[in-house]
Amino acid sequence: MIIEKTVLAEVDKVYATCIGRLEGKEAWIGASEGEGPCVCAVDGKTLTLWDEPGGTMNIVPIPGRSGEFYGTQKFLPVFAADDCTLNHIKYENGSFCVTEVMKTPYLHRFDLFLQDGQVYFIGSTLCGKKEFTQDWSSPGAVYTGMVKDDPREAFPLKKLYAGITKNHGFCREDGLFGLRYLITGVEGIFAFQVPKHPWDDDWTVTKLWEGEISDIAACDIDGDGQMEYASIEPFHGSKAVIYKETDGALSPIKEYDIDFGHVIWGGTVNQRPVFILGYRRQEMKLLMIYYDGEFK
């Protein structure tokens, strides 16, 4: 497989990325985790969503609303994100309008999903609070909420689970289990099963693995109809591990040496299911893991 790199835009400390649509065209969005901008590459042009304040951990298209997104700002500095906010972003008349929806301290990862015509929110906080960079004494939590008909309006959040230290990994999984979210931390891998009525019903939370996990991705890369799970371990760690589910339990089947693992993704590239992994020290490689009779 030949991979060609194309530079769409340049952003210092680019962190949050997503792909959405603007006026029927594919749009690639990237935002800085530092005090920097958020930009969009579409139809050969680069548009600016905002120049500041930055501190963006996530941007997600709002289901059913073309040209509208939710994104975080003010996760600044990284160890003191009490002022982090969730914001509504809308593209119209050739420019972006950004409206603060509500304050969401330490909101690190979130997603939006559509069920029975209603848009729901699920999000994870990295921690409860911090006094200094390595202060992990206050674990993070997981929340859900129903997005208002006017997505610029604040909506209540309900705590689904508390007590995940270094609450960092977050992955949406659509598969044999229906829709669920894998969320990871020092305590392991947790699966949050989306119920029929996500606001009113109790969510089933299952611990799939015991042990510190930084990041998680899911993909059936060997084509047997069951997901494999790829992790970075421990927090921003030194190894990537592929797990397979056997008899209802996960088992590690392959390891890769890395340095400061920072992101892992599972999906299809050129019709081949793969995991893509990036790390931020030494050679700072971007790896593509695939299966061809064995994991490569």
Side-chain angles (χ1 to χ4, degrees), residues 197-254:
H197 305 290
W199 179 255
D200 296 319
D201 296 348
D202 291 334
W203 290 53
T204 300
V205 181
T206 305
K207 192 172 188 178
L208 302 180
W209 184 259
E210 180 84 33
E212 185 171 345
I213 308 289
S214 179
D215 293 87
I216 188 81
C219 183
D220 176 17
I221 70 170
D222 64 3
D224 69 349
Q226 293 186 321
M227 290 289 192
E228 280 73 49
Y229 302 95
S231 70
I232 293 171
E233 305 177 22
F235 186 65
H236 290 323
S238 58
K239 66 178 180 178
V241 183
I242 308 294
Y243 292 88
K244 193 166 187 67
E245 187 168 5
T246 306
D247 298 327
L250 297 186
S251 300
I253 56 175
K254 181 72 174 180

Side-chain angles (χ1 to χ4, degrees), residues 33-67:
E33 67 174 334
E35 295 179 356
C38 177
V39 302
C40 170
V42 59
D43 198 25
K45 299 180 292 185
T46 301
L47 307 175
T48 300
L49 283 72
W50 61 76
D51 289 309
E52 55 182 23
T56 299
M57 298 289 107
N58 239 175
I59 299 178
V60 178
I62 300 178
R65 303 181 74 100
S66 180

